[in-house]
Amino acid sequence: MKNMNRLSISAIIALLLLIQPSLAEVTLEAGTTIVGQQASKQNNSINRDVIGSVDLVMGADIGPGRLHIYGEGSTTPAISANSVIAGANHDAGSAVDKNGNGRVQLSAIRYDFDIDRLNVSLGVQDLTAFADTTAVSNDETSQFLAGPLVHNPAVAFPDYTPSLVLSHGAEDVVNATLLVANAYGLGDNPSANYADLFKFGRDKNTNLRKGIFTLAELRLPNDVGATLGGWMRTSELPQHLGGANRNSAFGVYANADGGLGGNTLWSARLGWNSARTTDEVIAHASMAVEHSYTEDHVIALGVAWNGLSPDFRSTYANAANPMVAELYYRWQVNEYVAISPDVQYWSNANSLSKNGVGRVGGSAWVCGLRVQIGVSHRMTHTE
């Protein structure tokens, strides 16, 4: 599988280089994110203080639309700060095999084209690029590292998955997004292989129906900065206590973006779901503020709270709603390198009010340093 993933990415790069003379524009972007973290509890059990990932993004104008290809690699997370306090590093283990070992993989490939104001995206893709987006808390490589401040955990997004996304609108009108996808993406299948991406029946490992994930979102004009969305997942999922399987899940969410004048931006998220997924979060609320001193110096503060499902509370006697506050400073050293010191405070870490058997609970701190290195290249041709 590792060799297959490397060969897939190499073959796509070679194909783009071969057809590149006939294309109007080809873009190549590469970046690596390196994160070192220390935890205030069970830090002596962390045997991998520094972990990282690499990203390669390619785009090419082909026919009436544009082809997007995304490949990534990850080191093996092993026992990192993210393993001790779940969610401390949302970038950890972004590309792993069925055994949890880091690998290089082709994560997404999609084709975009427009029909008047309707944009169509078809392929294996990351759905969080199209929905539940905010200006201040959306990218773990350059903004917040803590998972609850990257995406809304109350929305049961699948991992990279075959999907169709339709977006309609413009900056000065209401935008509508509708997407339909396999509810089990690349990282959701226990096998972590590509063949299972296109199987919509029952999972061969769990014998549970995979189902479909659908989402609809309305985004108001930019001067209002509000988003409303709803989703449904038809997967058959087990309860925490092993009772009768759940047949579906649904939820709603709302986002808002705004400014406080000058160079200060804020974002907020709310989410709720029907408590019918194996995930423990049924409610979410978060708020984040970002201030730019200059173009190269940014400071940001965010707070997120998650509400737990009744199933999870019944499973763990000391279960408690977790909260995280994170402060980071980003210094864009030059065109290619950015450095971000980061500190997180967790209340009820791992959704536990106190330490459990082998699990950190209660209050905990995580301090870290993130280094992001990126380059880009554009090739334009006149036909």
Side-chain angles (χ1 to χ4, degrees):
M1 182 58 65
K2 290 182 180 179
N3 291 334
M4 183 183 298
N5 288 319
R6 293 191 182 99
L7 286 172
S8 299
I9 295 175
S10 300
I12 291 170
I13 294 174
L15 177 62
L16 284 177
L17 292 176
L18 286 173
I19 65 177
Q20 179 257 341
S22 65
L23 303 176
E25 181 179 87
V26 176
T27 58
L28 300 173
E29 298 180 19
T32 183
T33 303
I34 303 168
V35 179
Q37 290 181 309
Q38 296 277 294
S40 63
K41 290 184 176 180
Q42 294 188 14
N43 193 69
N44 57 355
S45 67
I46 298 175
N47 60 20
R48 196 175 291 269
D49 296 327
V50 179
I51 58 178
S53 64
V54 61
D55 304 280
L56 177 63
V57 181
M58 296 172 283
D61 292 334
I62 298 178
R66 187 165 180 82
L67 178 68
H68 299 267
I69 300 170
Y70 174 48
E72 64 179 328
S74 173
T75 59
T76 298
I79 301 298
S80 63
N82 193 70
S83 301
V84 174
I85 299 177
N89 179 3
H90 194 69
D91 191 53
S94 56
V96 295
D97 62 19
K98 64 180 180 180
N99 299 315
N101 297 318
R103 69 176 182 180
V104 176
Q105 68 182 34
L106 174 62
S107 295
I109 178 168
R110 79 172 196 263
Y111 187 69
D112 295 349
F113 61 93
D114 295 328
I115 304 174
D116 195 17
R117 285 190 172 184
L118 178 67
N119 177 261
V120 181
S121 297
L122 179 64
V124 176
Q125 47 197 333
D126 175 12
L127 301 182
T128 62
F130 301 93
D132 182 43
T133 61
T134 71
V136 174
S137 53
N138 218 69
D139 183 2
E140 64 273 20
T141 65
S142 62
Q143 296 174 324
F144 294 99
L145 272 173
L149 286 166
V150 179
H151 301 299
N152 190 335
V155 182
F157 282 112
D159 196 41
Y160 302 106
T161 189
S163 54
L164 171 67
V165 181
L166 304 176
S167 302
H168 185 273
E171 290 185 3
D172 57 344
V173 300
V174 175
N175 283 256
T177 299
L178 176 66
L179 59 86
V180 182
N182 189 338
Y184 273 56
L186 185 60
D188 303 313
N189 288 292
S191 62
N193 66 40
Y194 296 100
D196 286 340
L197 277 178
F198 300 93
K199 295 178 181 178
F200 293 82
R202 291 190 175 273
D203 182 80
K204 62 184 179 183
N205 298 290
T206 64
N207 198 36
L208 297 176
R209 185 182 66 251
K210 290 186 174 182
I212 301 296
F213 178 84
T214 58
L215 181 146
E217 180 181 282
L218 292 177
R219 181 177 290 271
L220 301 182
N222 287 348
D223 58 343
V224 179
T227 300
L228 299 174
W231 59 272
M232 184 171 186
R233 180 172 177 162
T234 63
S235 304
E236 184 182 16
L237 299 169
Q239 296 187 55
H240 276 281
L241 297 179
N245 293 336
R246 305 287 195 179
N247 290 320
S248 63
F250 63 90
V252 293
Y253 64 93
N255 298 343
D257 287 303
L260 299 176
N263 297 320
T264 303
L265 302 174
W266 63 267
S267 293
R269 280 190 173 103
L270 293 173
W272 171 89
N273 65 48
S274 59
R276 293 177 178 271
T277 73
T278 53
D279 296 327
E280 63 204 55
V281 178
I282 63 169
H284 171 79
S286 62
M287 181 77 183
V289 180
E290 175 187 285
H291 178 74
S292 301
Y293 293 100
T294 68
E295 187 175 327
D296 298 329
H297 296 272
V298 176
I299 190 169
L301 173 66
V303 179
W305 170 90
N306 291 334
L308 303 180
S309 71
D311 284 351
F312 186 85
R313 287 183 174 276
S314 299
T315 304
Y316 297 97
N318 58 334
N321 295 330
M323 184 275 292
V324 60
E326 180 175 357
L327 175 69
Y328 76 83
Y329 181 86
R330 185 173 74 248
W331 173 31
Q332 190 69 41
V333 181
N334 54 41
E335 182 182 355
Y336 308 107
V337 179
I339 298 175
S340 298
D342 176 278
V343 60
Q344 302 170 21
Y345 170 75
W346 290 80
S347 175
N348 300 326
N350 294 309
S351 302
L352 300 175
S353 60
K354 59 183 179 180
N355 289 351
V357 178
R359 301 187 70 186
V360 169
S363 300
W365 292 85
V366 178
C367 298
L369 180 67
R370 171 180 52 194
V371 178
Q372 216 282 327
I373 303 171
V375 296
S376 63
H377 181 61
R378 175 175 296 182
M379 296 170 284
T380 305
H381 299 269
T382 302
E383 300 184 13

